Amino acid sequence: MIRTFLEKRWKYYILGIIFLASIDYLQILVPKYIGEVVNIVIKPPVNLGIVMNFVVLIIIIAAGVVVGRFIWRMLIVGSARKFQAYAQQTLFDKFLRSPISFLDEHSVGNLMAYYTNDVQAVSQMLSQGVIMTVDAIAMTIFVFAGMLMVVDYRLVLISLIPLPFVAISSWYFGGKIHTRFKKVQNDFSFISEKAQESFSNVKTIKSYGVEDKFNALFKQSCDQFANDNFLLLRISAVYGPLISFLAALTTAIAIFLGGQMVISGTVNLGDFVAFISYLGMLTWPFVAIGQVINVLQMGRASQERIESLMETPDRKEEGLEFPGKFETLEIKHLNFSYNGENILKGVDLKIKAGQKIAVIGKIGSGKTMLVKLMTKLYSIEDGQIFYNGVDINRINGKSLRENVLLIPQESFLFSTKISKNVAFGLEQFSEDDVEDASKVAHFHEEVVKFDDKYDTLVGERGVTLSGGQRQRLSLSRGIFKNAQVIILDDVLSAVDSQTATLILEDIGKTLKDMTTIVITHNIASVKNSDVIFVMDEGKIIESGTHDELMKLNGLYRRLFMIQQIEREIGH
């Protein structure tokens, strides 16, 4: 990611570095001029004209430093801000392009940690890290060059004494900072994950009265995060002052030895003043080394986390367009395993255009995974699923899902108007089409009860709607899409059996050319389907019409009779 960004912005960084180094060079001229002035004023008569010339030069240099500093900040820090926007957009695009299995492995809170903290740390590396690195190197070179111009080389060599200790300290502490910051970032991801999970399910937590338990678990995570942060802080707290101490020690030695040289007359007072000024300027590079190691190691740790995330394979969307008008969906001996578990075992079925299909079975029988594979949300081997005789792996995933729409169990809604939730993904749409789709889903009669009708805001995740209303809104969205095949994955579970039956009947009457596949536990609502497939333990064990399956006296009949008894007891 960084390499791709720098390929576009390297010119800005180079120009910014040139300005930064130029400013450092201008700054080392000031002590030299001050030393010249001191040498002039201590030897009367004083030529005020020459003194004024030096004063004007110092003012010009100060003005140049101000202008140059503005320019390099705009170039380097501005580029880092561009990176932040680029990285966040790239990560967002990565999340959308990733397969469902990727999202199964990474929680929302975890992904948000990458999106915020890690991107911020890398951005700091590309701004403050670059600035302090260049500044420390350039300033050190220029300061030592300035020293050699004004004092004896032996005094300059004394100021080099701390450098080996600085290098050793940087190597030792840098590795520890890198390791511990990476641990801190992982802790932050875990906390973000737990916080997001708790906030999203706060009603459930309160309903079960387990606030104290969740609070204790979250406190435990926060304590771990604080402890790891403290360990990181302890390293930084030792490293920074150590570098400052080495710089101060150098200054003390130089003043002691340099003072003796001034007294003995081997060094002019003005040159010694310039030398002391240079030593003061050298303190910043020493301190900057400590800071830059922190910034670079933290940025590198976050970069490794981001690069590791970016290296995960994307969902494969290349391939042919969906093969025209839907005619058949055929599955041949489909096997599928996930996380070491065999979920589907030798599934065979065939669906023709216009059929109303139902897939039923006990919880965990593989129904939901089957329809996810139908829409290419997970990868499978060739030769198992075919649309119009074309292997699903040869069909472009985006084109497939535009024609074969899966409405999932989770009826996720967005914090906007009902109409925009129904016409999801479109900026311009017909209000009449939205209303027509809602009528088929038996949602229209609910909408007209609201004061603002279709302009009603549904709130975060549809909080203002009941469970049944959310499901019918989600169904309205799928009907509005007008795909050739629509798969309803238990989307009517919060709707009573009678209403669910009416909705499915209306879909069949209104959308005669649409092929529907209904995944459900409610047998009564799908008993009029053209074909019913019964799943158990990842296999299709029965198929046929309602009457045919009842005659088999198998699992379907047992489930149907159990539900009949439950409804009678409920009445």
Side-chain angles (χ1 to χ4, degrees):
M1 182 185 293
I2 291 180
R3 180 181 297 177
T4 303
F5 174 76
L6 291 179
E7 286 175 355
K8 300 176 182 177
R9 299 288 301 186
W10 68 269
K11 293 179 181 178
Y12 294 90
Y13 273 100
I14 294 297
L15 194 58
I17 289 170
I18 291 172
F19 270 95
L20 177 56
S22 300
I23 296 306
D24 287 339
Y25 175 74
L26 288 177
Q27 286 178 300
I28 66 107
L29 295 177
V30 175
K32 184 175 183 299
Y33 294 152
I34 291 175
E36 295 285 352
V37 171
V38 171
N39 285 332
I40 291 172
V41 298
I42 63 174
K43 294 179 180 179
V46 178
N47 189 330
L48 292 178
I50 296 177
V51 173
M52 284 304 299
N53 288 339
F54 281 117
V55 170
V56 171
L57 278 174
I58 291 172
I59 293 173
I60 292 172
I61 288 172
V65 168
V66 170
V67 174
R69 196 166 277 169
F70 170 79
I71 293 173
W72 67 249
R73 282 181 177 174
M74 291 299 295
L75 291 169
I76 298 177
V77 179
S79 292
R81 294 291 182 269
K82 291 278 187 182
F83 169 79
Q84 194 166 349
Y86 162 77
Q88 289 177 333
Q89 180 59 54
T90 302
L91 281 173
F92 188 78
D93 183 56
K94 172 65 179 178
F95 300 157
L96 295 182
R97 288 187 289 105
S98 296
I100 296 297
S101 56
F102 170 87
L103 301 176
D104 289 343
E105 296 167 3
H106 295 84
S107 67
V108 174
N110 186 19
L111 295 179
M112 285 304 298
Y114 284 97
Y115 198 76
T116 53
N117 267 31
D118 285 309
V119 168
Q120 179 64 30
V122 178
S123 178
Q124 282 290 101
M125 180 177 68
L126 292 177
S127 57
Q128 297 304 315
V130 171
I131 291 167
M132 289 189 290
T133 300
V134 173
D135 205 22
I137 294 173
M139 186 65 76
T140 301
I141 293 172
F142 291 144
V143 166
F144 278 119
M147 286 180 178
L148 289 171
M149 288 189 296
V150 297
V151 295
D152 188 276
Y153 74 93
R154 288 171 295 181
L155 199 56
V156 176
L157 289 176
I158 293 171
S159 62
L160 292 174
I161 293 173
L163 288 183
F165 298 100
V166 171
I168 293 171
S169 300
S170 299
W171 171 80
Y172 176 76
F173 287 100
K176 289 187 174 296
I177 290 171
H178 176 79
T179 302
R180 293 190 178 180
F181 183 74
K182 203 167 185 178
K183 180 69 168 65
V184 166
Q185 291 296 78
N186 289 333
D187 289 343
F188 181 80
S189 293
F190 185 74
I191 286 178
S192 299
E193 176 184 341
K194 291 301 177 185
Q196 188 273 334
E197 186 180 70
S198 298
F199 295 156
S200 299
N201 297 284
V202 66
K203 292 182 179 178
T204 304
I205 293 172
K206 286 181 173 293
S207 298
Y208 281 82
V210 291
E211 296 95 330
D212 291 341
K213 182 177 180 180
F214 269 77
N215 188 42
L217 291 172
F218 191 72
K219 182 180 181 302
Q220 184 178 350
S221 301
C222 289
D223 288 344
Q224 181 63 46
F225 178 60
N227 183 60
D228 289 334
N229 253 312
F230 176 77
L231 293 175
L232 175 62
L233 176 62
R234 191 165 64 183
I235 293 291
S236 301
V238 171
Y239 182 50
L242 176 61
I243 299 298
S244 298
F245 171 75
L246 292 173
L249 183 62
T250 303
T251 303
I253 295 171
I255 291 175
F256 176 74
L257 297 178
Q260 290 182 335
M261 290 182 179
V262 172
I263 294 171
S264 65
T266 56
V267 174
N268 292 330
L269 178 61
D271 294 340
F272 181 69
V273 170
F275 176 70
I276 294 302
S277 298
Y278 282 131
L279 276 180
M281 296 175 70
L282 195 60
T283 301
W284 157 244
F286 277 90
V287 174
I289 290 172
Q291 294 180 3
V292 79
I293 291 297
N294 281 333
V295 172
L296 291 180
Q297 291 296 349
M298 291 177 183
R300 195 163 69 89
S302 287
Q303 179 193 352
E304 288 176 1
R305 279 168 47 87
I306 292 175
E307 293 296 343
S308 176
L309 190 75
M310 294 298 296
E311 286 173 2
T312 57
D314 294 339
R315 185 176 63 234
K316 295 180 180 180
E317 298 290 16
E318 70 276 1
L320 306 172
E321 292 297 304
F322 190 81
K325 186 177 181 180
F326 174 74
E327 296 175 0
T328 60
L329 163 61
E330 190 170 4
I331 297 178
K332 298 179 180 179
H333 202 67
L334 173 62
N335 295 285
F336 184 76
S337 298
Y338 188 69
N339 287 338
E341 180 183 357
N342 294 326
I343 299 177
L344 299 177
K345 308 164 188 175
V347 174
D348 291 281
L349 62 81
K350 187 171 184 178
I351 298 171
K352 298 179 181 178
Q355 285 187 319
K356 310 307 173 188
I357 303 297
V359 181
I360 69 163
K362 294 180 290 187
I363 295 174
S365 58
K367 305 184 300 298
T368 295
M369 182 56 72
L370 175 63
V371 295
K372 284 182 177 180
L373 296 181
M374 289 179 182
T375 51
K376 208 177 178 180
L377 293 179
Y378 292 86
S379 299
I380 59 170
E381 295 180 0
D382 293 342
Q384 298 186 94
I385 300 180
F386 300 86
Y387 282 94
N388 295 355
V390 179
D391 194 309
I392 192 173
N393 289 326
R394 295 182 57 202
I395 303 173
N396 178 283
K398 186 174 183 294
S399 176
L400 172 67
R401 287 184 286 275
E402 286 175 351
N403 290 275
V404 181
L405 177 65
L406 169 62
I407 304 179
Q409 293 172 334
E410 305 85 4
S411 51
F412 189 92
L413 305 178
F414 296 85
S415 303
T416 184
K417 298 177 182 179
I418 288 176
S419 58
K420 288 189 175 182
N421 267 286
V422 174
F424 175 60
L426 298 177
E427 289 297 326
Q428 303 293 330
F429 54 87
S430 168
E431 296 288 348
D432 290 337
D433 290 343
V434 169
E435 189 173 314
D436 290 342
S438 300
K439 286 179 178 177
V440 176
H442 286 230
F443 182 55
H444 177 72
E445 53 265 36
E446 298 291 331
V447 177
V448 294
K449 295 177 183 178
F450 298 121
D451 293 336
D452 295 326
K453 307 295 190 295
Y454 284 91
D455 289 332
T456 302
L457 296 175
V458 301
E460 184 178 4
R461 302 176 68 91
V463 69
T464 60
L465 304 179
S466 68
Q469 289 172 336
R470 286 197 295 271
Q471 287 193 333
R472 277 177 277 183
L473 194 161
S474 184
L475 179 59
S476 301
R477 177 192 293 165
I479 294 170
F480 180 87
K481 179 77 173 178
N482 196 29
Q484 295 193 64
V485 180
I486 185 170
I487 303 173
L488 312 179
D489 185 8
D490 213 10
V491 297
L492 298 175
S493 59
V495 179
D496 64 87
S497 177
Q498 185 176 0
T499 303
T501 303
L502 290 174
I503 291 172
L504 293 175
E505 287 178 354
D506 283 355
I507 291 175
K509 293 175 183 177
T510 309
L511 308 172
K512 294 180 180 178
D513 295 332
M514 181 182 288
T515 304
T516 59
I517 303 172
V518 181
I519 310 297
T520 184
H521 299 95
N522 186 355
I523 296 178
S525 63
V526 295
K527 65 180 184 179
N528 294 325
S529 300
D530 296 323
V531 182
I532 301 171
F533 294 97
V534 183
M535 293 193 68
D536 188 37
E537 296 183 355
K539 301 177 182 178
I540 293 179
I541 59 171
E542 298 173 2
S543 64
T545 63
H546 171 74
D547 292 335
E548 290 170 347
L549 291 173
M550 289 296 288
K551 292 177 182 178
L552 292 177
N553 199 27
L555 178 60
Y556 178 86
R557 179 183 175 85
R558 291 199 300 275
L559 292 175
F560 180 78
M561 297 304 296
I562 290 171
Q563 290 182 15
Q564 285 286 90
I565 294 171
E566 288 175 346
R567 275 192 291 272
E568 291 175 2
I569 295 174
H571 288 304

